[in-house]
Amino acid sequence: MTDVRVRFAPSPTGPLHIGGVRTALYNYLFAKKMGGTMILRIEDTDQTRYVPGAEDYIIESLDWIGIKSEENPVVGGPYGPYRQSERKAMYGEYAQKLIDEGNAYYAFDTPEELDAMRERLKAGGVHTPQYNGLVRQQMKNSLTLPADEVKAMIDGGEPYVVRLKVPLKDEIRLQDMVRDWVHVHSNTIDDKILLKSDGMPTYHLANVVDDHLMKITHVIRGEEWLPSAPLHVLLYRFLGWEDTMPQFAHLPLLLKPDGNGKLSKRDADKHGFPLYPMQWTDPKEGTVASGFRESGYLPEALLNFLAFLGWNPGTEQELFTFDELVDSFSIDRIQKGGAKFDIQKAQWYNQQYLKQLSNAELGQLLLEQLKTEGIEASPEKAEAIANNMKERITYTSDLWTEAKYFHIAPIEYDEKTVRKKWNETAVNGLKAFTSALASEGDLTPERAKEVFSKTLEDAGLGFGKVMPALRISLTGQAGGPDLMEIMAILGREEVIQRIETAITRLQENV
Ligand code: GLU
C-alpha cells in the first residue's frame, strides 16, 4: 500500500476556528495511526481575504496543542512550496491542459454582465442563478466567441477567467469514508472559476492540483466542503488523475451546545466560552477574541475533548493519552451526524488533566501567571498553593484568580459572613489565637490546627463560632480550601498581621 499522506490546508483568513483544530487533529491521528505523513499547506490564493498574522497564528496554535506536521511552510519538504501563493506558476499548465482538452474555457464577462445575467434568471423564476451548461451558451466566452476573436482579446490584455466546463448530463459519484456513496447530478454544479483574472488559481483548482502533486492519499476535512467534492472529482477525472485520487472523509459539523444548528461565534459569546485555540487580536478592528490557551485550558485536555467531537472509541473510556488516541482512532468510528459542542465537557476534561499534574508542575504554571502579574513567590510556596487548590480548579488561571489571597492580603471581607459571624465572641477567639501564635515557630498545617483547637478549648468556644471569622480575616472569602494549610502557606507572622488588620477594620461590625 502507498504511504498515507494527509494534509491540513487552512486559509489564513483569520484565527483558526476550533473546528479547524479538530480537522487538523483527525488528520494527525490518522497519519500517526497509519505511520503516515502529515502536511500543513497554507491556502492563501484568495488575496482579498488574506489577514496578516493569521498564518503565524495557525502555526503557533497547532504547535501549542501538539499537532506536528512533517512538511510545512516553515521546514519545507520534498513537495514544496507549502504556501499556495508561492506555487502560483504551477497551476497555469493544468488550466491550459483543461482548456486544450475542451474541459475548461476562457470567460470574458464583466461583473456588470454577470449581474445582468443573474437578474435576468431571477426574473425568470430561477432561485439561485448559476453559470452552467445552459447559461454559458449566452455569455461572453471562448465557447460562444469565434476563436480568432478570443485570441485577439487575450493578446490585447482583455481580462478573463478560466471556467470549468461541467458536463451537461452526468452523474458524479464518490465514496466518502464517513458518508459512503454520494451521488450528484452535474446539472447542480456550475462552471466554477478555476483561474482568476489575476492569474491566481481559485481554491478548487489549487486544492486538487496540490493534493495530486503532494501525493495526498486521504482528504479529511469539514463537512462544509462536501458540496465541492463532486467538482473536485470532475477535476481529477479531466486531469487524468482518477487512479490516484485521494479518498475523502468529510467530518461532521460542530453544533451549538443545545444541538440546534451550527456552532457560531454568537453562541460562544453568549455562553462565554472561547472558539479559538489562542487569543486573537484582529489586526484591523483591534477586537480581541478569547482563546482556550489564555482561558486556562491545558493543550492535552483540549486535544482529548476535541478527539471526541465527532468520534468515539466505542467503549466507556473518555480519558485518553495521545498514544491511546492514536491506537484507538479509526475513520470508521467517525459519526455522520453533527457533534454538539458541550463546553462543560471541555471543562471536565480540563479538571481531570489538571488533577493529573504534579504539585510541582501546577506550581510552575502558577509561577508563570504570577510573573505576568508582577508578583513574586518561591517555587515551594507555589507548589504548596497548588496542592491546596488542585481539587477546586477548572482552569490553570484559577490557581491565581481563585486564590489571590495567598499573595495579597484581603481588601474586602465577605459581607454576609461579616454580618452573621463577626461578633464579640469571634473576635475574642481570634485575639486568643493571635496571642497563642505569638510564641510559636514555623507553622505546619498540623501545628496550626493544634494551636487553634487548644485556644478554642481553653476559651470554651466551638470551632463554628470562630472559624468563619478566621477565614474571612485571612482570605476575605466565605469559603475555600483547607484553612490550616492556608495558614501554613501564609506563615505565622502574616496570619497574625491579617487577623489584627481585620479586627481593626471591622470593629464597627462587632
Ligand atoms: N482552504 C480550505 C479551508 O480553508 C481547505 C479545505 C480542504 O481541506 O480542502 O478550509
Side-chain angles (χ1 to χ4, degrees):
M1 205 189 133
T2 46
D3 288 342
V4 164
R5 290 176 55 83
V6 294
R7 85 308 193 265
F8 177 52
S11 300
T13 53
L16 183 58
H17 188 276
I18 200 69
V21 184
R22 195 265 318 250
T23 300
L25 174 61
Y26 282 22
N27 273 285
Y28 188 45
L29 289 174
F30 184 66
K32 287 278 151 215
K33 168 107 192 179
M34 307 303 285
T37 305
M38 165 93 177
I39 290 135
L40 172 68
R41 181 174 73 222
I42 298 293
E43 301 209 324
D44 58 349
T45 55
D46 190 349
Q47 300 288 318
T48 58
R49 295 182 61 215
Y50 180 81
V51 173
E55 180 184 318
D56 287 345
Y57 176 94
I58 292 167
I59 292 172
E60 202 185 331
S61 296
L62 295 177
D63 198 44
W64 173 68
I65 199 161
I67 297 175
K68 302 182 194 76
S69 52
E70 283 90 356
E71 299 171 23
N72 58 51
V74 181
V75 300
Y79 302 95
Y82 291 86
R83 213 176 269 119
Q84 284 184 330
S85 57
E86 293 167 16
R87 301 170 67 85
K88 184 176 173 187
M90 299 166 107
Y91 305 107
E93 116 184 44
Y94 300 101
Q96 195 58 52
K97 176 178 161 73
L98 292 167
I99 295 169
D100 293 347
E101 295 175 6
N103 294 314
Y105 57 92
Y106 299 103
F108 302 93
D109 316 278
T110 62
E112 295 73 32
E113 285 163 342
L114 291 169
D115 281 346
M117 173 268 280
R118 288 188 201 104
E119 288 311 315
R120 209 167 52 238
L121 289 173
K122 275 193 187 153
V126 180
H127 267 304
T128 36
Q130 290 191 324
Y131 200 118
N132 61 16
L134 296 174
V135 172
R136 69 185 171 224
Q137 298 304 335
Q138 296 143 29
M139 304 299 289
K140 220 163 85 193
N141 54 49
S142 56
L143 302 174
T144 56
L145 300 168
D148 52 350
E149 201 173 315
V150 170
K151 188 170 182 309
M153 284 168 95
I154 292 174
D155 292 348
E158 190 94 7
Y160 66 85
V161 298
V162 174
R163 284 182 183 270
L164 181 68
K165 190 174 167 207
V166 177
L168 262 184
K169 287 191 191 129
D170 196 358
E171 186 171 70
I172 301 156
R173 296 163 6 115
L174 74 122
Q175 195 174 19
D176 186 87
M177 293 174 82
V178 176
R179 275 143 230 280
D180 208 7
W181 283 102
V182 178
H183 300 255
V184 181
H185 197 277
S186 64
N187 64 9
T188 62
I189 307 174
D190 63 352
D191 288 0
K192 285 271 178 317
I193 295 178
L194 301 176
L195 217 53
K196 291 178 279 190
S197 50
D198 62 0
M200 268 292 195
T202 56
Y203 156 71
H204 302 291
L205 180 66
N207 190 268
V208 166
V209 167
D210 286 348
D211 281 347
H212 174 75
L213 296 180
M214 294 181 175
K215 299 201 162 41
I216 299 302
T217 56
H218 297 78
V219 166
I220 304 172
R221 61 184 173 193
E223 186 181 306
E224 65 275 25
W225 299 103
L226 188 60
S228 302
L231 186 90
H232 298 173
V233 171
L234 268 185
L235 280 169
Y236 281 104
R237 193 195 291 170
F238 291 156
L239 289 165
W241 298 336
E242 252 183 329
D243 291 350
T244 53
M245 185 171 86
Q247 281 190 270
F248 291 98
H250 288 92
L251 306 178
L253 286 178
L254 298 190
L255 303 179
K256 292 181 192 301
D258 65 7
N260 283 323
K262 220 174 122 181
L263 178 68
S264 71
K265 179 89 174 52
R266 269 188 57 202
D267 303 315
D269 292 346
K270 191 169 123 204
H271 299 283
F273 62 77
L275 213 47
Y276 306 108
M278 309 184 312
Q279 185 169 298
W280 164 260
T281 307
D282 187 283
K284 265 209 213 116
E285 317 284 333
T287 49
V288 178
S290 68
F292 279 90
R293 183 176 73 177
E294 290 71 16
S295 302
Y297 282 84
L298 295 171
E300 300 81 8
L302 183 60
L303 198 133
N304 197 156
F305 164 70
L306 289 178
F308 274 75
L309 275 186
W311 169 87
N312 73 77
T315 65
E316 294 295 301
Q317 188 183 347
E318 293 185 285
L319 289 171
F320 280 72
T321 62
F322 179 72
D323 289 342
E324 286 172 334
L325 279 176
V326 170
D327 266 356
S328 319
F329 189 77
S330 75
I331 293 189
D332 299 351
R333 297 208 58 88
I334 295 178
Q335 71 201 44
K336 286 198 195 69
K340 267 192 230 168
F341 194 84
D342 178 2
I343 193 66
Q344 275 152 9
K345 198 75 206 189
Q347 291 163 350
W348 178 83
Y349 271 110
N350 211 42
Q351 285 166 343
Q352 305 309 310
Y353 275 81
L354 283 169
K355 272 188 209 159
Q356 287 173 15
L357 293 186
S358 67
N359 292 335
E361 287 167 318
L362 282 172
Q364 192 50 42
L365 291 172
L366 172 58
L367 285 178
E368 282 162 23
Q369 287 174 74
L370 291 179
K371 209 166 151 197
T372 62
E373 301 293 331
I375 293 174
E376 269 184 49
S378 68
E380 294 73 31
K381 181 174 174 181
E383 216 172 288
I385 296 172
N387 180 50
N388 182 251
M389 291 291 293
K390 81 194 285 182
E391 292 298 322
R392 317 181 141 254
I393 51 174
T394 303
Y395 310 110
T396 48
S397 48
D398 290 347
L399 287 168
W400 154 244
T401 54
E402 297 298 302
K404 292 188 179 172
Y405 50 78
F406 281 115
H407 318 279
I408 306 166
I411 303 162
E412 287 172 344
Y413 302 95
D414 179 69
E415 203 219 323
K416 196 167 155 205
T417 313
V418 172
R419 206 170 352 104
K420 296 204 160 155
K421 305 282 181 182
W422 193 269
N423 50 40
E424 212 180 324
T425 315
V427 172
N428 287 339
L430 289 179
K431 282 184 179 161
F433 184 47
T434 49
S435 27
L437 284 179
S439 54
E440 286 294 314
D442 275 353
L443 279 187
T444 62
E446 297 73 30
R447 186 63 196 149
K449 188 162 184 186
E450 273 166 27
V451 179
F452 189 57
S453 312
K454 175 101 184 19
T455 311
L456 297 192
E457 212 181 288
D458 292 350
L461 294 170
F463 251 59
K465 293 265 184 264
V466 190
M467 192 78 140
L470 175 60
R471 187 179 285 281
I472 56 163
S473 305
L474 300 178
T475 70
Q477 299 177 2
D482 187 83
L483 201 51
M484 303 305 149
E485 275 182 35
I486 293 179
M487 287 198 274
I489 296 170
L490 289 175
R492 187 179 64 103
E493 278 163 30
E494 181 69 17
V495 170
I496 297 174
Q497 171 83 52
R498 288 192 187 186
I499 294 174
E500 284 171 352
T501 309
I503 292 175
T504 316
R505 286 212 200 131
L506 293 170
Q507 40 189 322
E508 280 151 36
N509 299 75
V510 179

